[in-house]
């Protein structure tokens, strides 16, 4: 089959022109209608502001982050791993941000290309919502730390604790030591099967050394771990939290065991 590239190009241009429309809202503001959609069916909100000197500002006027804020904590998009990715997205799509609005200053000649750049940025920023606790180990540990400090004062928490009363303590690190009501609490985050195996070994070693402690094991997604790994952990650990989404369970168990001033 022979393809006439020129005809294909003309067909494509007509089709794409038909899906992108511009509507005047005021003499200095135009609305851009595209086929780009959020998963809930809402259209991407894009506008053109007329700037001095023949420039055009293509902007979402803050709609993207406002849309995400309905179900997500937008502040987390600026911290840690999410924050780094957010900045990379803006850099490689040439999109700037001011007061929560995403924008590109462009010209009539570059407008079509920049509509795709802004659309790509909005899509990739929305995809950051999929960096959920069960999907990204780095954000799991960040979320775990934030969850602990929302409940326990920082002065009662020691991160990356080593129990010095035990031989080769550096080989058996403890994610968090928390001052307990009766016994010290050793808390571990478990995002994957490898960490589950490691925590099992650490707990077994602590028990053999007759260390007095209570333990809390917090999973990124308990259901995703092999049954054999869970069985070994349950033999040596105490309370288990299925995921950080079980916030009330986590708070209840931690407040019950911790010494709160």
């Amino acid at each position: 089959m022979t393809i006439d590239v020129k005809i294909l190009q003309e067909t494509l241009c007509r089709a794409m022109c038909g899906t992108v429309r511009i509507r005047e809202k005021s003499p200095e503001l135009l609305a851009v209608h595209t086929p780009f959609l959020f998963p809930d069916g809402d259209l991407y909100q894009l506008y053109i502001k007329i700037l001095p000197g023949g420039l055009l500002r293509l902007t979402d006027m803050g709609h993207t982050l406002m849309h995400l804020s309905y179900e997500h904590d937008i502040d987390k998009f600026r911290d840690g791993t999410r924050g780094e990715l957010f900045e990379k997205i803006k850099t490689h799509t040439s999109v700037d941000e001011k007061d929560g609005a995403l924008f590109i200053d462009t010209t009539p000649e570059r407008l079509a290309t920049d509509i795709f750049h802004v659309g790509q940025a909005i899509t990739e920023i929305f995809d950051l919502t999929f960096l959920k606790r069960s999907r990204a180990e780095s954000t799991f540990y960040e979320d775990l730390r934030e969850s602990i400090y929302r409940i326990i004062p920082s002065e009662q928490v020691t991160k990356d604790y080593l129990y010095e009363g035990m031989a080769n303590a550096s080989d058996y690190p403890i994610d968090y030591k928390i001052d307990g009501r009766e016994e010290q609490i050793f808390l571990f985050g478990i995002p994957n099967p490898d960490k589950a195996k490691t925590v099992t070994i650490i707990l077994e070693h602590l028990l053999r050394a007759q260390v007095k402690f209570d333990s809390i094991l917090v999973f990124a997604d308990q259901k995703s771990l092999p049954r054999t790994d869970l069985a070994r952990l349950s033999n040596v650990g105490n309370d288990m939290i299925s995921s950080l989404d079980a916030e009330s369970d986590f708070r209840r168990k931690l407040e019950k065991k911790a010494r709160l001033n």
Side-chain angles (χ1 to χ4, degrees):
M1 179 179 179
T2 302
I3 298 293
D4 189 319
V5 176
K6 184 177 180 181
I7 293 176
L8 185 62
Q9 175 73 31
E10 292 173 352
T11 302
L12 180 62
C13 287
R14 285 196 301 270
M16 295 187 72
C17 286
T19 58
V20 178
R21 303 187 312 278
I22 293 177
R23 179 170 56 86
E24 185 176 17
K25 295 183 71 70
S26 74
E28 296 181 348
L29 183 66
L30 308 174
V32 182
H33 296 273
T34 73
F36 305 142
L37 298 170
F38 289 106
D40 63 4
D42 282 1
L43 287 165
Y44 289 7
Q45 298 291 310
L46 294 178
Y47 301 89
I48 297 171
K49 290 184 175 181
I50 311 299
L51 302 179
L55 286 177
L56 307 174
R57 173 160 293 182
L58 181 64
T59 175
D60 73 342
M61 295 182 67
H63 179 267
T64 301
L65 296 183
M66 182 181 70
H67 187 91
L68 296 180
S69 71
Y70 297 151
E71 296 183 3
H72 303 278
D73 183 354
I74 292 302
D75 289 339
K76 288 188 176 182
F77 282 69
R78 305 184 186 281
D79 296 329
T81 301
R82 292 182 182 91
E84 293 175 5
L85 292 173
F86 186 75
E87 292 302 318
K88 288 181 180 178
I89 290 169
K90 291 192 295 182
T91 298
H92 78 74
T93 58
S94 302
V95 168
D96 291 314
E97 179 198 3
K98 184 177 181 181
D99 298 328
L102 305 173
F103 68 92
I104 291 180
D105 287 343
T106 185
T107 63
E109 293 76 21
R110 299 201 315 266
L111 179 60
T113 299
D114 286 335
I115 286 174
F116 282 101
H117 284 160
V118 175
Q120 180 184 356
I122 293 173
T123 300
E124 293 186 19
I125 289 169
F126 181 84
D127 285 347
L128 293 179
T129 63
F130 295 111
L131 272 176
K132 291 220 171 179
R133 294 158 185 155
S134 61
R135 292 183 173 91
E137 294 178 23
S138 55
T139 58
F140 166 73
Y141 285 117
E142 291 170 10
D143 292 343
L144 175 60
R145 183 184 67 248
E146 292 174 6
S147 296
I148 292 171
Y149 288 126
R150 278 199 298 268
I151 302 169
I152 307 297
S154 59
E155 62 269 17
Q156 293 177 230
V157 180
T158 304
K159 189 175 183 296
D160 298 325
Y161 176 70
L162 300 178
Y163 184 78
E164 297 297 348
M166 181 176 64
N168 303 316
S170 61
D171 293 334
Y172 305 95
I174 296 158
D175 290 353
Y176 293 92
K177 180 185 82 72
I178 299 171
D179 297 339
R181 295 178 186 270
E182 298 177 2
E183 296 179 325
Q184 58 192 334
I185 302 166
F186 294 163
L187 187 149
F188 296 87
I190 303 174
N192 56 45
D194 288 340
K195 182 62 181 292
K197 294 181 177 69
T198 299
V199 172
T200 299
I201 293 170
I202 293 172
L203 291 173
E204 287 176 340
H205 196 79
L206 289 165
L207 292 171
R208 284 199 300 270
Q210 298 184 333
V211 179
K212 293 187 179 301
F213 70 98
D214 202 346
S215 63
I216 296 178
L217 312 178
V218 184
F219 298 90
D221 182 5
Q222 186 177 5
K223 297 190 297 296
S224 69
L225 294 184
R227 291 183 179 180
T228 52
D229 291 337
L230 286 174
R232 294 188 189 102
L233 266 178
S234 64
N235 288 335
V236 293
N238 298 117
D239 286 321
M240 295 185 177
I241 310 298
S242 61
S243 78
L244 283 173
D245 292 323
E247 295 179 8
S248 60
D249 187 34
F250 183 47
R251 176 177 289 274
R252 177 177 57 82
K253 290 179 178 177
L254 197 50
E255 289 181 342
K256 180 180 179 181
K257 294 175 181 288
R259 187 177 76 240
L260 301 175
N261 295 332

